[in-house]
Amino acid sequence: MIPISESVPKRRVPWVTSTLVLICLLLFFYELMLPARALDRFLQQWGANPQLILLALAGDPGVPRSELLTRFTSQFLHGGWLHLLGNMIFLWVFGRAVEDYLGHAVFLVIYLLGGAGAGIFQSWVSGPNSTIVLVGASGAIATVLGCYLILFPTAW
């Protein structure tokens, strides 16, 4: 089922939600313009490598702690049209109400930390030998959906 709207009235302009959607769209169009090798390098640099994430969390001296920043940058990259559109539709439909309720700053912090936490969990599930780069906002979107369900349990 693809949501097209929800019933919670909004009082404020959802500029954080709008900006997140715009950034994801612009970066995806940038990804589409890159030749295959450049796209690979781009995703390796800005996507989250589970092996490196786990090593950085463990304090491995061979892996810079800055590798953990990819848990944030990878949230703005997507692996294909369906991945992007699915995430952005759910973000747009449900994120506006959550942002309106929580406020812009709190919404942004919850979105980014929820996505980062989900990525760390996925890195742990993937295991220390996985080098498949993680991209996408699915963890952050799941966080937004969880907030929506808690904040508006009777909304349709």
Side-chain angles (χ1 to χ4, degrees):
M1 179 185 297
I2 299 174
I4 55 172
S5 69
E6 47 80 39
S7 63
V8 178
K10 281 70 150 185
R11 302 167 305 208
R12 299 181 241 195
V13 175
W15 66 265
V16 173
T17 300
S18 302
T19 303
L20 291 169
V21 169
L22 181 63
I23 291 169
C24 288
L25 288 171
L26 290 173
L27 282 171
F28 186 71
F29 290 131
Y30 177 73
E31 287 178 54
L32 291 176
M33 294 183 338
L34 292 174
R37 284 186 189 204
L39 177 60
D40 252 3
R41 283 192 307 275
F42 181 74
L43 293 177
Q44 288 295 327
Q45 181 177 1
W46 300 107
N49 180 320
Q51 184 179 54
L52 297 177
I53 295 291
L54 293 174
L55 289 171
L57 285 171
D60 186 309
V63 178
R65 301 278 292 164
S66 62
E67 188 64 38
L68 295 173
L69 291 177
T70 62
R71 278 311 320 128
F72 296 101
T73 58
S74 65
Q75 293 179 49
F76 297 96
L77 308 176
H78 288 81
W81 281 105
L82 288 177
H83 187 206
L84 174 75
L85 292 176
N87 279 339
M88 295 305 101
I89 287 170
F90 277 82
L91 176 57
W92 181 252
V93 170
F94 299 105
R96 294 175 301 157
V98 174
E99 179 182 351
D100 187 60
Y101 186 90
L102 297 176
H104 307 299
V106 173
F107 174 74
L108 181 60
V109 168
I110 287 175
Y111 179 90
L112 292 172
L113 290 179
I120 290 170
F121 180 75
Q122 180 60 49
S123 295
W124 178 74
V125 169
S126 298
N129 296 324
S130 178
T131 58
I132 297 172
V133 175
L134 305 174
V135 296
S138 300
I141 305 303
T143 302
V144 170
L145 290 174
C147 288
Y148 186 88
L149 288 171
I150 290 168
L151 296 171
F152 311 109
T154 59
W156 55 267

